[in-house]
Amino acid sequence: MAGDRGDDPEAQLASYAQALAEGIDRALGPWVAGCVERIMSAHAGRMSDETAAAAAAAAERARSEVGAAVAALLGSDPDAQRSTPLALVRGAVRYPTEVLRAAGVPPVRRDAFAARAFPDDIYDLSPASLADVAPDLAEPGLAWGAAKAFVHRRRHRSQLARR
Protein backbone atom coordinates (compact mmCIF):
# COMPACT_ATOMS: atom_id res chain seq x y z
CA MET A 1 0.00 0.00 0.00
CA ALA A 2 1.47 3.34 -1.06
CA GLY A 3 2.57 5.57 1.77
CA ASP A 4 3.04 2.81 4.30
CA ARG A 5 6.34 2.33 6.12
CA GLY A 6 7.62 -0.06 3.43
CA ASP A 7 7.40 2.65 0.75
CA ASP A 8 9.01 5.40 2.81
CA PRO A 9 12.82 5.16 2.86
CA GLU A 10 13.08 7.74 5.65
CA ALA A 11 10.72 5.72 7.85
CA GLN A 12 12.61 2.52 7.02
CA LEU A 13 15.88 4.21 7.96
CA ALA A 14 14.39 5.36 11.26
CA SER A 15 13.18 1.82 11.96
CA TYR A 16 16.60 0.32 11.19
CA ALA A 17 18.29 3.01 13.29
CA GLN A 18 16.05 2.24 16.26
CA ALA A 19 16.69 -1.50 15.96
CA LEU A 20 20.44 -0.93 15.74
CA ALA A 21 20.47 1.45 18.72
CA GLU A 22 18.49 -1.05 20.80
CA GLY A 23 20.78 -3.90 19.76
CA ILE A 24 23.91 -1.95 20.64
CA ASP A 25 22.38 -0.95 23.96
CA ARG A 26 21.74 -4.61 24.79
CA ALA A 27 25.18 -5.75 23.63
CA LEU A 28 27.46 -3.12 25.17
CA GLY A 29 27.36 -4.29 28.78
CA PRO A 30 28.01 -7.96 28.05
CA TRP A 31 30.76 -6.99 25.59
CA VAL A 32 32.56 -4.79 28.14
CA ALA A 33 32.31 -7.45 30.86
CA GLY A 34 33.43 -10.11 28.37
CA CYS A 35 36.48 -8.07 27.38
CA VAL A 36 37.56 -7.83 31.02
CA GLU A 37 36.93 -11.51 31.63
CA ARG A 38 38.84 -12.59 28.50
CA ILE A 39 41.92 -10.50 29.23
CA MET A 40 41.90 -11.33 32.96
CA SER A 41 41.62 -15.04 32.18
CA ALA A 42 44.57 -14.83 29.80
CA HIS A 43 46.60 -12.78 32.30
CA ALA A 44 45.74 -14.34 35.65
CA GLY A 45 43.69 -17.42 34.86
CA ARG A 46 40.70 -16.04 36.73
CA MET A 47 38.99 -12.85 37.77
CA SER A 48 38.73 -11.74 41.38
CA ASP A 49 35.38 -10.79 42.87
CA GLU A 50 36.59 -7.19 43.10
CA THR A 51 37.50 -7.10 39.41
CA ALA A 52 34.22 -8.78 38.47
CA ALA A 53 32.32 -6.09 40.38
CA ALA A 54 34.38 -3.36 38.68
CA ALA A 55 33.69 -4.98 35.30
CA ALA A 56 29.95 -5.05 36.01
CA ALA A 57 29.99 -1.36 36.98
CA ALA A 58 32.03 -0.46 33.88
CA ALA A 59 29.63 -2.45 31.72
CA GLU A 60 26.67 -0.50 33.07
CA ARG A 61 28.46 2.85 32.58
CA ALA A 62 29.33 1.92 29.00
CA ARG A 63 25.77 0.87 28.27
CA SER A 64 24.40 4.05 29.79
CA GLU A 65 26.89 6.52 28.30
CA VAL A 66 27.84 5.00 24.96
CA GLY A 67 24.37 3.54 24.43
CA ALA A 68 22.92 7.03 24.88
CA ALA A 69 25.45 8.51 22.45
CA VAL A 70 24.64 5.83 19.86
CA ALA A 71 20.90 6.41 20.30
CA ALA A 72 21.40 10.17 19.90
CA LEU A 73 23.50 9.67 16.77
CA LEU A 74 21.06 7.23 15.19
CA GLY A 75 18.11 9.42 16.15
CA SER A 76 19.58 12.46 14.41
CA ASP A 77 19.08 13.47 10.81
CA PRO A 78 21.38 11.40 8.58
CA ASP A 79 22.89 14.53 7.01
CA ALA A 80 23.92 15.74 10.47
CA GLN A 81 25.67 12.51 11.47
CA ARG A 82 29.42 13.08 11.68
CA SER A 83 30.29 9.73 13.21
CA THR A 84 29.18 6.13 13.02
CA PRO A 85 27.81 3.68 15.56
CA LEU A 86 30.99 1.60 15.22
CA ALA A 87 33.20 4.61 15.97
CA LEU A 88 31.20 5.33 19.12
CA VAL A 89 31.32 1.68 20.19
CA ARG A 90 35.08 1.63 19.62
CA GLY A 91 35.29 4.48 22.12
CA ALA A 92 33.78 2.13 24.70
CA VAL A 93 37.10 0.28 25.03
CA ARG A 94 37.96 2.83 27.69
CA TYR A 95 35.60 1.09 30.13
CA PRO A 96 37.24 -2.36 30.17
CA THR A 97 40.64 -0.67 29.84
CA GLU A 98 40.08 1.23 33.11
CA VAL A 99 39.17 -2.00 34.91
CA LEU A 100 42.10 -3.94 33.49
CA ARG A 101 44.58 -1.16 34.23
CA ALA A 102 43.29 -0.88 37.82
CA ALA A 103 43.71 -4.66 38.20
CA GLY A 104 47.37 -4.30 37.21
CA VAL A 105 47.13 -6.10 33.89
CA PRO A 106 50.02 -5.12 31.61
CA PRO A 107 49.26 -3.95 28.06
CA VAL A 108 49.15 -6.65 25.40
CA ARG A 109 51.32 -6.87 22.31
CA ARG A 110 49.63 -5.29 19.30
CA ASP A 111 50.50 -5.06 15.65
CA ALA A 112 51.74 -1.77 14.22
CA PHE A 113 48.41 -0.94 12.57
CA ALA A 114 46.41 -1.42 15.77
CA ALA A 115 48.90 0.65 17.75
CA ARG A 116 48.64 3.52 15.22
CA ALA A 117 44.89 3.32 14.65
CA PHE A 118 43.89 2.87 18.29
CA PRO A 119 46.73 4.22 20.45
CA ASP A 120 44.69 4.20 23.68
CA ASP A 121 43.50 0.61 23.19
CA ILE A 122 46.37 -1.00 25.07
CA TYR A 123 44.52 -4.32 25.44
CA ASP A 124 43.63 -4.65 21.72
CA LEU A 125 39.87 -4.60 22.35
CA SER A 126 38.65 -2.38 19.49
CA PRO A 127 36.06 -4.22 17.43
CA ALA A 128 36.64 -4.40 13.68
CA SER A 129 32.88 -4.49 13.13
CA LEU A 130 29.68 -4.40 15.13
CA ALA A 131 29.54 -8.19 14.76
CA ASP A 132 32.65 -8.34 16.96
CA VAL A 133 30.60 -6.78 19.74
CA ALA A 134 27.69 -9.16 19.20
CA PRO A 135 27.08 -11.34 16.14
CA ASP A 136 23.43 -10.32 16.03
CA LEU A 137 24.46 -6.69 15.33
CA ALA A 138 25.79 -7.54 11.86
CA GLU A 139 22.42 -7.59 10.11
CA PRO A 140 20.92 -4.43 11.67
CA GLY A 141 24.23 -2.63 11.12
CA LEU A 142 24.23 -3.51 7.43
CA ALA A 143 20.54 -2.71 7.03
CA TRP A 144 21.00 0.70 8.67
CA GLY A 145 24.08 1.48 6.58
CA ALA A 146 22.37 0.54 3.32
CA ALA A 147 19.24 2.49 4.22
CA LYS A 148 21.30 5.54 5.19
CA ALA A 149 23.21 5.39 1.91
CA PHE A 150 19.92 5.10 -0.02
CA VAL A 151 18.37 8.05 1.80
CA HIS A 152 21.52 10.14 1.34
CA ARG A 153 21.68 9.36 -2.37
CA ARG A 154 17.97 10.08 -2.81
CA ARG A 155 18.20 13.39 -0.94
CA HIS A 156 21.26 14.55 -2.84
CA ARG A 157 20.59 13.05 -6.26
CA SER A 158 20.72 16.39 -8.06
CA GLN A 159 24.02 17.35 -6.41
CA LEU A 160 25.52 13.97 -7.28
CA ALA A 161 24.41 14.31 -10.92
CA ARG A 162 26.31 17.60 -11.28
CA ARG A 163 29.62 16.03 -10.31
Side-chain angles (χ1 to χ4, degrees):
M1 178 174 188
D4 72 3
R5 192 174 200 95
D7 291 341
D8 180 359
E10 301 267 348
Q12 287 180 324
L13 175 59
S15 178
Y16 292 140
Q18 181 177 355
L20 182 56
E22 290 171 358
I24 289 171
D25 187 69
R26 279 190 307 276
L28 271 172
W31 178 75
V32 167
C35 286
V36 173
E37 184 176 357
R38 181 172 44 84
I39 299 296
M40 283 302 298
S41 292
H43 172 70
R46 66 181 267 329
M47 189 161 51
S48 71
D49 291 343
E50 180 181 318
T51 301
E60 181 51 33
R61 281 195 327 278
R63 190 204 60 73
S64 174
E65 295 169 12
V66 177
V70 168
L73 171 74
L74 292 173
S76 68
D77 183 88
D79 288 341
Q81 295 173 0
R82 298 292 176 248
S83 188
T84 66
L86 180 58
L88 295 177
V89 169
R90 284 178 175 155
V93 301
R94 73 181 178 271
Y95 299 94
T97 296
E98 290 169 2
V99 175
L100 294 164
R101 190 179 278 142
V105 177
V108 301
R109 246 189 132 113
R110 299 183 296 152
D111 65 39
F113 172 79
R116 274 192 322 276
F118 308 107
D120 296 329
D121 182 15
I122 62 173
Y123 298 107
D124 202 23
L125 304 172
S126 290
S129 72
L130 291 172
D132 291 340
V133 176
D136 65 345
L137 292 177
E139 188 174 326
L142 288 172
W144 169 80
K148 181 180 175 185
F150 182 84
V151 165
H152 178 80
R153 183 168 174 79
R154 187 169 172 240
R155 285 181 177 183
H156 303 285
R157 188 176 303 146
S158 63
Q159 293 170 343
L160 294 170
R162 285 188 289 227
R163 288 185 183 172

